[in-house]
Amino acid sequence: MMHNLKLLTRPAVALAAAVSLGLSATAQAEPSKISSDKLNSTVQEVMSVYAVPGMAIAIVEGDQVVFEKGYGVQEIGEPRQVSQRTLFKIASVTKNFTTAALALLVDQGKISWDDPVIDYIPEFRVQDPWITRNFTVRDLLIHKSGLNLGAGDLMFWPTPNDFTRKDILHGLQYLPMTGGFRTQYAYDNILYVIAGELTERVTGQRWETFVEENLMRPLGMEYCFAGPVPEAYKQYLAQPHGFLDEQPTVVRRDFAADYLTSAPAGGIRCSIQAMTKWMKMHIARGAYTTAEGEQKQLISARQHAEMWSPQTIMNVGSRASDWDNTHFAAYGLGWRMHDVDGLLRVHHTGTLHGMNAYLSFFPELNVGFMVLMNRAHSDARTAMMQTMIKAYTDSPDRDWIMAVQKWREQASASRQAAFSEPETHPVTAAVAERVTGEYVDPWFGKVTVSWQDGELRWRSHRSERMVGELFHIKGDTFAARWDDRTHHADAYVRFTTTMQGDILGMQLAPIDPAADWSFDFEDLNFTKQ
């Protein structure tokens, strides 16, 4: 899930007075390719430029944690500083925990990557019966199912809502598969949720319990949770931050008390201390050392190699070519991969409302890098990650904060040239009377369009934050302005009609083509009741 937040100019002063950069104790070792002073100064500049309240970073070389440090605060305006134990949402970095759980089951002979999903989830259905029969465990993980980008995300975003994993399984059959089965990359979250459900069907345990007991606890990842955070650990929760009315603020308080429907796609909360143990296991190709010094294999080298093998070809963007001399890009099983300066890089980002994460490995160098932030700003994590990895690829020294800002300015200029807000008009009672009523989408459920106190209102019955006012554009086309302005995803609403002009239903599309694709409006198709 991705969320667009305001880009700040350099240097940003909005947060400078509010955040104290608290530095936790460093590891005894020292990175071999970049100085601690360089890391510290880069973090502090990134946090200032992008108004990041708190951050934690780590570098692991082989089986040694050579850098591990927390900076800033868990919540703006509060004194608790980020430490190695601070719990951040790692968002879609969770996906490689889900694939690791399945790799364990492959090692145990309980599943195969190429088994049909319906062997384990008989009610699994997609739009096409042939694809349903041939849809494999592997197909859940590699983002070329034929579903649209972000398909079904509105069943678990924005939170809170009342959709369950049973609802997601049911709703899947109604999502259009316009991309072609196994033909092209289109990132999704919904199939990772179903991968978590498959884990439960095979093991008889909740996905959260299985991941904690079989992945986290053997590695000693104490400050890391796939499910609800125990009360004793809630003091370590970093809160998600964004910008509202030009001020940094907690955008959606994280109480970490509930099981998340979307957890297998992006629900883990983890500390930098725990993530370094996850990193060491991956650098060792699935092996780890117990607290007693015993060498064990968590995931077989064969299945680890399978997770890190290209499955879906991805396009190489101009930025990757210019910055990293990249020639190929691919998605594996819960991992992205491409070449950087002649070296293989295996990585994944994570983005949730108010949180960012970034995990990268260079297998040929036996080194890994981690960035955790309690603000959702992809440019901040990119600048920090590029600073670290480029030191290890022996790239010429470069100011990556400035490079990222320059790229963003160019991208923003292109977007502004291609996008303009539609002209809207107040809705009259006569226009409103024609479109008010109940509408139902087969996977998103019921929506009410009502005339209230001179406003035309749009309200979802199942997703409580999806509510807003409709403004008239022309004819049967309106603009939805969501009450929650942190969505940054206003939508066109077009009412469909019969040839005689009677209202049949309603369709939506994003007004801003660069809006967060987790608001998958294009897949909605409402029928008037």
Side-chain angles (χ1 to χ4, degrees):
M1 299 179 188
M2 298 189 303
H3 297 274
N4 301 312
L5 293 173
K6 183 178 178 180
L7 176 68
L8 299 181
T9 56
R10 181 184 187 185
V13 296
L15 204 62
V19 173
S20 169
L21 295 178
L23 310 183
S24 58
T26 61
Q28 290 184 350
E30 183 79 6
S32 61
K33 295 284 190 176
I34 187 170
S35 71
S36 297
D37 288 344
K38 173 67 172 177
L39 290 168
N40 289 333
S41 63
T42 302
V43 168
Q44 294 185 42
E45 188 173 6
V46 165
M47 292 177 68
S48 175
V49 168
Y50 295 104
V52 178
M55 182 186 293
I57 66 171
I59 301 175
V60 177
E61 297 178 7
D63 63 354
Q64 293 294 311
V65 179
V66 297
F67 195 89
E68 176 187 294
K69 187 178 287 190
Y71 305 79
V73 292
Q74 294 180 178
E75 179 179 350
I76 191 167
E78 297 295 329
R80 191 175 296 277
Q81 295 185 342
V82 172
S83 73
Q84 289 102 325
R85 295 178 175 182
T86 297
L87 300 171
F88 292 84
K89 293 179 181 180
I90 67 170
S92 284
V93 175
T94 298
K95 288 180 171 65
N96 53 71
F97 284 80
T98 296
T99 56
L102 293 171
L104 289 179
L105 299 181
V106 174
D107 278 334
Q108 294 167 8
K110 295 180 178 179
I111 67 169
S112 165
W113 296 115
D114 297 310
D115 286 342
V117 174
I118 57 173
D119 286 357
Y120 305 101
I121 308 176
E123 69 271 35
F124 175 85
R125 297 287 185 278
V126 293
Q127 277 196 340
D128 185 280
W130 184 91
I131 297 176
T132 295
R133 291 193 299 272
N134 289 277
F135 208 104
T136 67
V137 177
R138 188 186 305 272
D139 290 321
L140 294 173
L141 310 171
I142 61 176
H143 302 305
K144 58 176 178 180
S145 65
L147 293 172
N148 291 326
L149 176 68
D153 278 6
L154 283 171
M155 284 189 277
F156 40 79
W157 175 258
T159 57
N161 59 63
D162 68 358
F163 289 97
T164 65
R165 291 177 194 170
K166 183 178 179 181
D167 292 325
I168 287 173
L169 265 172
H170 175 74
L172 178 65
Q173 64 190 301
Y174 301 108
L175 293 172
M177 300 187 73
T178 59
F181 185 46
R182 296 176 183 162
T183 62
Q184 58 186 327
Y185 175 82
Y187 192 88
D188 71 80
N189 291 296
I190 189 172
L191 294 178
Y192 269 81
V193 176
I194 294 173
E197 178 67 20
L198 188 148
T199 303
E200 295 188 12
R201 300 292 179 97
V202 173
T203 66
Q205 287 184 297
R206 290 190 69 104
W207 172 86
E208 293 87 346
T209 303
F210 185 82
V211 166
E212 289 181 2
E213 291 184 357
N214 294 276
L215 293 175
M216 297 176 180
R217 300 306 167 249
L219 296 177
M221 298 173 68
E222 179 184 356
Y223 291 85
C224 197
F225 302 94
V229 174
E231 198 63 37
Y233 291 82
K234 288 185 178 179
Q235 61 179 308
Y236 298 105
L237 282 170
Q239 293 300 325
H241 294 78
F243 261 60
L244 192 62
D245 298 327
E246 305 299 320
Q247 294 297 320
T249 183
V250 174
V251 290
R252 195 72 187 171
R253 183 162 294 280
D254 183 18
F255 296 104
D258 300 321
Y259 287 98
L260 300 176
T261 297
S262 62
I268 286 176
R269 298 172 180 86
C270 208
S271 66
I272 199 70
Q273 179 186 81
M275 286 304 299
T276 59
K277 298 176 181 180
W278 186 244
M279 294 162 71
K280 285 195 284 186
M281 181 274 290
H282 281 291
I283 290 172
R285 313 308 193 267
Y288 70 104
T289 304
T290 68
E292 295 74 30
E294 182 181 359
Q295 297 292 316
K296 288 192 174 183
Q297 197 77 26
L298 183 68
I299 301 166
S300 70
R302 178 179 179 180
Q303 297 312 323
H304 191 273
E306 188 73 12
M307 290 191 294
W308 279 13
S309 296
Q311 307 286 328
T312 299
I313 300 301
M314 300 169 60
N315 292 329
V316 175
S318 59
R319 188 176 77 169
S321 294
D322 293 344
W323 288 1
D324 300 331
N325 194 30
T326 296
H327 300 86
F328 92 96
Y331 202 91
L333 302 179
W335 295 94
R336 296 187 183 100
M337 52 205 69
H338 69 278
D339 60 308
V340 174
D341 301 328
L343 296 166
L344 174 65
R345 180 187 180 200
V346 182
H347 61 109
H348 213 291
T349 54
T351 308
L352 278 172
H353 200 33
M355 288 277 187
N356 258 190
Y358 206 162
L359 175 59
S360 293
F361 294 96
F362 284 82
E364 294 153 293
L365 302 178
N366 288 327
V367 63
F369 310 87
M370 186 81 220
V371 177
L372 297 170
M373 296 166 32
N374 60 354
R375 188 186 171 201
H377 204 306
S378 60
D379 290 357
R381 72 180 176 201
T382 297
M384 192 66 237
M385 183 61 73
Q386 286 291 110
T387 299
M388 293 192 291
I389 68 174
K390 287 296 188 173
Y392 282 76
T393 64
D394 295 325
S395 176
D397 190 37
R398 186 174 182 181
D399 183 338
W400 284 105
I401 298 174
M402 184 64 74
V404 171
Q405 285 196 311
K406 183 177 180 180
W407 176 85
R408 178 59 64 190
E409 289 168 1
Q410 294 170 344
S412 297
S414 297
R415 171 186 171 276
Q416 290 171 5
F419 168 70
S420 60
E421 289 282 350
E423 182 180 350
T424 61
H425 312 280
V427 178
T428 65
V431 170
E433 183 179 6
R434 185 164 173 270
V435 299
T436 54
E438 304 289 333
Y439 296 78
V440 174
D441 176 83
W443 60 270
F444 187 66
K446 184 181 292 186
V447 162
T448 297
V449 177
S450 60
W451 181 248
Q452 301 175 16
D453 301 324
E455 293 183 356
L456 189 61
R457 303 288 294 170
W458 194 104
R459 179 178 66 86
S460 167
H461 286 233
R462 304 201 65 180
S463 185
E464 66 180 58
R465 291 170 64 199
M466 292 306 298
V467 58
E469 183 178 358
L470 297 184
F471 296 86
H472 198 201
I473 297 177
K474 64 179 179 179
D476 294 319
T477 302
F478 295 74
R481 309 290 188 191
W482 308 118
D483 291 350
D484 188 336
R485 301 312 296 159
T486 66
H487 289 343
H488 302 288
D490 290 340
Y492 289 112
V493 177
R494 182 172 67 86
F495 292 93
T496 57
T497 67
T498 65
M499 294 296 289
Q500 292 74 35
D502 297 324
I503 300 296
L504 280 175
M506 174 175 57
Q507 296 176 330
L508 281 76
I511 290 176
D512 184 351
D516 185 340
W517 43 256
S518 281
F519 292 94
D520 54 322
F521 299 132
E522 297 94 331
D523 287 345
L524 296 167
N525 190 11
F526 289 97
T527 301
K528 194 171 191 293
Q529 299 301 289

